[in-house]
DNA sequence: CTTGAACCTATAGCTACTAGAGGGATTATA
DNA sequence: TATAATCCCTCTAGTAGCTATAGGTTCAAG
């Protein structure tokens, strides 16, 4: 049996976050000690690790709920899990593409070597979208 | 003079967002009509366009406050504006790097062609960090 | 038995908005 | 000029995914 602090250390998930996950229904409310403190089993540890890892990979709480549900039913077809992952991959790729356009623009405008604000390319570009090279 | 709705259409910033910016101190409270409705000048339009554009480029409200402050003082050196932009650029580059690691991992795990959850690579990888190829 | 660390609940705050309720103002048309 | 349609007002609460704080209780070591 682990206390919430031990679980936190083992998984790297902060204590208030664990309680938050419980509130959100991601993990079941665990048993309690006589003094009303949470006591987790190895099962709880596994589930929280799954969540931690999924969050690291950027899955939303809602997606993780779905994935956890699926993982409880080994006999089901895995299409659903697959499409959640693929959707998320698409999302990640979109975000990368968008950030790279920003990167280009920021690189360009931050090359400013003016002496004062009046001629600063950063300020000038922000004030006038027309000066941008890419769309956003 | 523009109403808030006209300003919204001209800049692409939604009406509640404009009011929110006013509340946050990004834009000054404009004059009001006799019936207490906001009336904006061309100046207000310029300022909101600046904000819109900066937000599009991912600058935070706090950063934008700083940049707006700077843009009001054309005689000052532009180092501050420059370093805000460079900091932001670094941040964007970090995020890109992180997302690309995720992309690799997600691509790998979503190649799963198992029939059911029991053998699904997606679920399996999420449950066990040890199966990952890159750190995160 | 005492002390200090760990734990409890409940509430509020963070970013950057968005949505809704319940009302008043403005404008176009009849 | 009346009225309907559209716009606008404030205020409050909700979104994601936590984090922080206050005020109190329990646990484990010495």
């Amino acid at each position: 049996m682990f206390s919430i602090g031990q679980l936190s250390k083992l998984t790297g998930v902060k204590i208030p976050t664990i309680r938050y996950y419980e509130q959100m229904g991601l993990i079941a409310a665990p048993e309690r000690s006589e003094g009303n403190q949470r006591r987790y089993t190895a099962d709880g540890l596994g589930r929280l690790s799954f969540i931690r890892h999924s969050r690291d990979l950027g899955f939303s709480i809602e997606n993780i709920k779905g994935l956890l549900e699926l993982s409880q039913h080994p006999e089901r077809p895995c299409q659903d899990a697959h499409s959640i992952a693929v959707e998320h991959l698409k999302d990640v790729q979109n975000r990368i593409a968008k950030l790279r356009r920003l990167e280009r623009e920021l690189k360009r405008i931050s090359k400013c070597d003016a002496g004062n604000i009046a001629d600063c390319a950063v300020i000038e570009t922000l004030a006038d979208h027309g000066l941008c090279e890419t769309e956003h």
Side-chain angles (χ1 to χ4, degrees), chain A residues 6 16-17 28 35 37-38 40 43 52 66 70 83 90 92 97 100 106 110 117 122 124-125 132:
Chain A
Q6 291 172 318
T17 307
Q37 300 193 355
R38 290 169 178 79
Y40 296 91
D43 230 63
R52 168 76 210 269
L70 292 169
S83 67
K90 272 188 210 156
V92 166
R100 291 181 75 175
L106 284 170
S110 63
I117 294 288
V122 176
E124 212 167 316
T125 311
C132 286

Side-chain angles (χ1 to χ4, degrees), chain A residues 34-114:
Chain A
E34 292 201 356
N36 197 35
Q37 300 193 355
R38 290 169 178 79
R39 291 293 175 260
Y40 296 91
T41 62
D43 230 63
L45 174 61
R47 201 170 163 95
L48 187 56
S49 305
F50 185 104
I51 294 168
R52 168 76 210 269
H53 194 193
S54 305
R55 284 296 300 140
D56 278 351
L57 289 169
F59 289 96
S60 72
I61 299 279
E62 274 314 299
N63 278 165
I64 297 173
K65 262 191 199 169
L67 291 166
L68 277 167
E69 242 268 74
L70 292 169
S71 74
Q72 302 304 111
H73 299 282
E75 80 290 355
R76 289 209 199 145
C78 86
Q79 279 177 359
D80 289 358
H82 191 252
S83 67
I84 290 173
V86 169
E87 270 312 301
H88 184 47
L89 174 59
K90 272 188 210 156
D91 183 56
V92 166
Q93 289 174 331
N94 278 338
R95 271 152 61 197
I96 290 173
K98 209 173 162 194
L99 284 172
R100 291 181 75 175
R101 285 197 293 277
L102 289 189
E103 186 193 13
R104 257 200 307 275
E105 206 62 55
L106 284 170
K107 261 187 191 162
R108 198 175 62 77
I109 74 180
S110 63
K111 265 192 206 133
C112 170
D113 53 0

